[in-house]
Amino acid sequence: MTVYNPNNLPKNDNLNRFAFVVDVKEQIFIRKGKMIAFYGNLSFEALGSSLLDILTLRAFNAPKYINNFVVAHGSGQLILGDNGNDLACYDLDAANMTIRAKNLLGFTKNVTCQESTLPGYLTLLGTGKIIASSNGPVHFLDLPCRVDEQAVLGWADCPSPSYRYDYEHVRSFVSAAGAITGYSLSGEEKQVDFTGAGTVLVQSSELELSNSSTLSHLVSLLPMLGKEDLGKLSLSLQQQTQQRR
């Protein structure tokens, strides 16, 4: 068994698959609740405080997510973790990378963070380091390719993707009824379509969608359903409502 201390901890590298050590010498943005331990003299301040206004104005341009991050500053070694998920660090060199927002654990102050045009993702630009978690190891795919929506961790140096639907699956009543009962569209029915040049980051396993995400999937299907399909869906909803009373 290895017992770690400030002298034998790695610097800006993985402690293991599930933990990452940041050698803090200047300000770094980290996600709230992801610090599991630290050595040294570190302080953590919420974004928007007077001391951090200038830094936040320059580097953090995603107001929807501002309450999800704090700034760590001082000098020390910071250990990050994310509920046993795999962690990795990505280096940007005058480049851009888009990451699923809830998987972004940290980024250095010289990287600018902005909201992506695709909801639920953050785009990071500039030169610096990005720390992100994933559901299993990450695989890197060249373009063009299509990926299951729930397996997409992010993409680098490529245009924002679009959705591709298999209309035979989408129009079927089984898919519509499945969505309302808690089953989302599978990767065979709906994919994220990547074109152009760049790299896609793909997780090794899928993430479950929340109930709100499932509802949004169903709403997106409605314009594609015919009158008969909508009638069946309405009947299914009425039956389930009666069963739950």
Side-chain angles (χ1 to χ4, degrees), residues 37-64:
F38 71 88
Y39 285 105
N41 184 22
L42 296 181
S43 298
F44 304 89
E45 296 189 43
L47 299 185
S49 64
S50 58
L51 293 176
L52 302 172
D53 279 345
I54 296 177
L55 176 62
T56 302
L57 179 65
R58 183 179 61 80
F60 204 97
N61 191 23
K64 179 179 178 181

Side-chain angles (χ1 to χ4, degrees), residues 70-92:
V70 297
V71 173
H73 59 95
S75 179
Q77 292 160 293
L78 172 64
I79 305 176
L80 300 177
D82 184 21
N83 301 314
N85 291 316
D86 286 65
L87 268 64
C89 182
Y90 307 93
D91 291 314
L92 286 186

